[in-house]
Amino acid sequence: MLAWFVSSMGMVGGAFGSGLEDDGTVRNAAYGERQRQRWQKLREEKKVREELERRDVERP
């Protein structure tokens, strides 16, 4: 019973603590450098695609 209570309190405390942080801080704590590099590359590729799509729309 005590183990269940302690683990439940730990889960609630962790959820509360992570709710106080912004997404970037939580991601930095949870993921490694390689994953952050992948996300950065995906963001850059998305910007390029959006720019190309915008140019296509603007053409007469």
Side-chain angles (χ1 to χ4, degrees):
M1 180 78 165
L2 179 62
W4 173 81
F5 178 73
V6 171
S7 65
S8 297
M9 293 285 74
M11 187 168 45
V12 169
F16 179 71
S18 67
L20 299 176
E21 299 292 340
D22 64 354
D23 287 345
T25 303
V26 174
R27 282 191 186 127
N28 285 338
Y31 297 102
E33 180 63 26
R34 182 69 182 115
Q35 185 62 37
R36 286 190 290 275
Q37 291 171 351
R38 288 185 196 111
W39 284 328
Q40 180 63 32
K41 184 177 179 182
L42 288 172
R43 282 191 297 269
E44 291 169 0
E45 290 172 355
K46 182 180 178 184
K47 284 182 183 178
V48 169
R49 281 193 310 272
E50 289 172 350
E51 178 64 23
L52 290 174
E53 290 172 0
R54 187 182 63 79
R55 288 181 184 173
D56 286 343
V57 170
E58 291 177 354
R59 269 196 265 167

